[in-house]
Amino acid sequence: MSKREDDRCGRKLKTEAEDCVNPDSSVIAAFKVFQQELDTKHDKHERLVKISRDVTIESKRTIFLLHRVTSVPDVEELLTEADVKLDAVRQKIGQIAEELKGEDLHQFHRAFTPGIQEYVEAVSFHHFIRHRTLISLEEINARLVFMRENKGEGEVACVLTFQITPTDYLLGVADLTGELMRMCISSVGNGDIDTPFQLSGFLRQIHDGFSYIGNTGPYEVSKKLHTLRQSLGKVEDACYTLRVRGSEIPKHMLADVFTSRAATHLDPDEPMV
């Protein structure tokens, strides 16, 4: 039988099957309901992915802005500009909260978790620059409260909240260590030899905290430990060089020296993440 005859037979069987279907069947009606529910969830998932992508982009732009802190004369002005950008990011997260209203967060968590992790990284970087401490999960969530006006006349405004999960918080903090390592190298390149030692102690505290979690925490968190150790190693290497050979190396060459040393002192036995 030729391919054309196979196609003709297939269409004939499909038509006969459709003719045998009773549109008033309770089974067909139930599956139509299932179809509508799945289509609705798929559309919501796609909207959340798009919002998460916007959150990621704006959070990265905020991080790039904050890295200028080592070279600008007015740090407070830069932090204020970053505050404005973070407020815009929070409005995007408010859109996520609207989409999740009345829904199970965990059904859609994978759709928006990349953007939330990037936001945690940005807001914790901003907090560290201003206060030299690690922002807590409670402090982050306290800023994610949104007022939304109901469309109906005479109805009061509703309050929406978004709660970042502990796992997303930990993953964002783990990514923060990479930004602090870059801040360390930039600081040395600009002649600041005090910031690397502050960053070294802070990163050591974060590393110790993650070590307490170890392999008992979520799988994604344990995967970040390698990157965290790399960042800590580079910062400690920079502090060692400053302490031992800082007076021998011209300030304008320190950043190049640290970059080259970091590239040759990675542990080849540890797997890459």
Side-chain angles (χ1 to χ4, degrees), residues 157-189:
C158 64
V159 178
L160 293 177
T161 60
F162 183 88
Q163 297 293 300
I164 293 176
T165 63
T167 299
D168 285 341
Y169 171 74
L170 289 173
L171 293 173
V173 170
D175 291 335
L176 167 68
T177 59
E179 305 305 331
L180 295 179
M181 180 271 296
R182 296 179 185 92
M183 180 181 176
C184 170
I185 303 302
S186 300
S187 299
V188 174

Side-chain angles (χ1 to χ4, degrees), residues 101-226:
K101 185 178 179 181
E103 299 284 356
D104 180 5
L105 178 145
H106 299 287
Q107 285 190 4
F108 302 95
H109 183 249
R110 293 186 63 180
F112 59 81
T113 181
I116 297 302
Q117 292 175 32
E118 199 70 32
Y119 168 73
V120 171
E121 181 181 355
V123 75
S124 58
F125 191 26
H126 179 275
H127 184 87
F128 174 80
I129 293 173
R130 174 165 280 167
H131 302 288
R132 287 298 192 265
T133 59
L134 178 64
I135 190 171
S136 67
L137 176 60
E138 291 75 18
E139 290 177 285
I140 295 178
N141 283 335
R143 301 180 186 178
L144 300 179
V145 180
F146 312 97
M147 296 294 296
R148 292 291 186 268
E149 294 183 359
N150 288 323
K151 296 181 180 179
E153 295 183 2
E155 296 183 9
V156 296
C158 64
V159 178
L160 293 177
T161 60
F162 183 88
Q163 297 293 300
I164 293 176
T165 63
T167 299
D168 285 341
Y169 171 74
L170 289 173
L171 293 173
V173 170
D175 291 335
L176 167 68
T177 59
E179 305 305 331
L180 295 179
M181 180 271 296
R182 296 179 185 92
M183 180 181 176
C184 170
I185 303 302
S186 300
S187 299
V188 174
N190 286 283
D192 180 3
I193 61 175
D194 295 326
T195 298
F197 293 96
Q198 296 175 2
L199 292 172
S200 176
F202 182 69
L203 286 174
R204 172 56 63 181
Q205 292 178 359
I206 293 180
H207 177 269
D208 292 344
F210 273 86
S211 297
Y212 281 117
I213 299 174
N215 294 326
T216 61
Y219 173 69
E220 297 86 351
V221 174
S222 61
K223 285 177 62 179
K224 296 280 187 178
L225 277 174
H226 175 69

Side-chain angles (χ1 to χ4, degrees), residues 34 37 53 87 96 121 149 251:
F34 300 154
E37 291 179 356
R53 192 179 300 119
D87 283 338
I96 296 179
E121 181 181 355
E149 294 183 359
K251 287 186 177 181

Side-chain angles (χ1 to χ4, degrees), residues 5-35:
E5 291 175 341
D6 287 339
D7 293 340
R8 189 181 298 113
C9 290
R11 287 194 298 270
K12 182 179 179 181
L13 292 174
K14 182 179 180 181
T15 302
E16 292 176 353
E18 290 176 349
D19 292 339
C20 294
V21 172
N22 181 8
D24 297 327
S25 169
S26 59
V27 176
I28 298 300
F31 272 90
K32 286 183 178 180
V33 174
F34 300 154
Q35 179 187 14

